[in-house]
Amino acid sequence: MKTDAPHRPSVWTTIAGDAVFESGLGLNGIGMYSEPADWITYEPVQSLVAALAWDSSLDAAGYLDGYLEARFGAAAATATGRYYQLTALDPDTHGPGVLTTNYGQARAALQEAAGRTRDPAPRTLLDRLTRNLDIALADMRIGLAPAGSAELGAARREYRALVHRNRFNGVCLPNMQAWGRWNGPDGQSPYDDARIRQDVVDTYASPAAGFGDPGFLVLSRGGEPVPLDVEAQDVDFAGHTVHWTATAPDGVTLEPPGGTLRVRGTRGATARVAVRAAADAAAGAHRITLEFRLADGTRLVPSPVEAEIR
């Protein structure tokens, strides 16, 4: 089975051309970089680069045909090929409007592909690619929302939650660019912020992790409680019981102030918490710290939730 020519991303041809050129220079080795946290989205390109390292005369388009059929099955290959074509645009040269249209169509192609296979392996990969597109579409909503609007704030919160929920699924990495995207220009940290970078490293090295959603709360003194979801995740896929507690500034209470969440594999767990500011709480910016530990006492990376009391 061959996919239609329009479904073949031009990036494949570009990579193949580079391999031929570099081989002509006498180079006998090639390397490729990708983030370890979003490797699934790089899989076909990494496979092609490895194949071209052995044979620079390889037909890149034909290789893509073979990859699609082997990875997703004959029935789903054409629809999945459309996904790769629709997501081949360079985000640096296309605006969020065009990308949103393409990514929306690409998501529909993945859903079509998922409906054409019952094999759990390709369905799992199609699910991960769909999650990655959901993150990209949330990113585009940030770019399209008017400055200072409630829509922009909601888009940033959605993007942050999606990145955190999927950071251990092979589709995204909460790096400095992502932090800047959900915080906005007024809340960005320096690109070389060592604390944020170390937290990311430590989180991926931990057996489990947790975070609060949303990451920013607005509390009214003496007002109604605001909901906060405390979420836990299984990082090493061994299954864990995660105990959490909240440390809040004076005048801020959480109900409940702690709890236990059981996680396994991609199945995380969530506790809904009510956050309230007392009538005499100090106005201004404050921080709530969520601390996590395992049943044996192992401490995990804490997660901050910023709060503004008005």
Side-chain angles (χ1 to χ4, degrees), residues 218-282:
V218 176
L219 306 174
S220 299
R221 288 183 290 182
E224 293 297 315
V226 174
L228 171 70
D229 286 337
V230 178
E231 302 192 28
Q233 300 162 288
D234 184 4
V235 180
D236 64 10
F237 279 43
H240 297 283
T241 297
V242 178
H243 301 287
W244 67 272
T245 55
T247 302
D250 291 341
V252 175
T253 58
L254 286 81
E255 183 57 43
T260 299
L261 299 169
R262 292 178 175 82
V263 296
R264 178 173 291 278
T266 58
R267 294 189 296 276
T270 304
R272 175 58 59 90
V273 179
V275 185
R276 185 193 299 269
D280 59 352

Side-chain angles (χ1 to χ4, degrees), residues 61-167:
Y63 185 88
L64 174 58
D65 292 334
Y67 168 82
L68 292 173
E69 186 165 339
R71 196 69 165 99
F72 300 98
T78 298
T80 310
R82 290 203 307 275
Y83 154 79
Y84 283 111
Q85 174 63 26
L86 288 162
T87 55
L89 295 179
D90 184 354
D92 291 332
T93 59
H94 294 80
V98 173
L99 293 172
T100 295
T101 298
N102 270 43
Y103 291 177
Q105 294 173 356
R107 194 183 192 284
L110 290 177
Q111 295 301 105
E112 178 186 338
R116 292 180 176 275
T117 179
R118 295 183 180 276
D119 189 331
R123 287 182 68 86
T124 296
L125 181 55
L126 290 166
D127 169 74
R128 297 299 190 273
L129 294 175
T130 302
R131 291 168 184 254
N132 180 263
L133 269 183
D134 287 340
I135 293 170
L137 286 166
D139 190 348
M140 295 305 102
R141 282 190 281 275
I142 294 174
L144 291 169
S149 66
E151 181 184 357
L152 176 58
R156 285 176 174 155
R157 289 192 295 273
E158 178 192 21
Y159 175 76
R160 177 185 179 274
L162 286 172
V163 170
H164 277 73
R165 287 182 186 134
N166 291 286
R167 56 185 169 168

Side-chain angles (χ1 to χ4, degrees), residues 153 156-161 164-165 179 182-183 211-218 226-231 286-290 303-308:
R156 285 176 174 155
R157 289 192 295 273
E158 178 192 21
Y159 175 76
R160 177 185 179 274
H164 277 73
R165 287 182 186 134
W179 279 71
W182 71 61
N183 283 319
F211 68 98
D213 177 43
F216 177 78
L217 301 174
V218 176
V226 174
L228 171 70
D229 286 337
V230 178
E231 302 192 28
H286 299 271
R287 171 172 289 185
I288 299 167
T289 300
L290 301 175
S303 180
V305 175
E306 306 300 332
E308 181 180 344

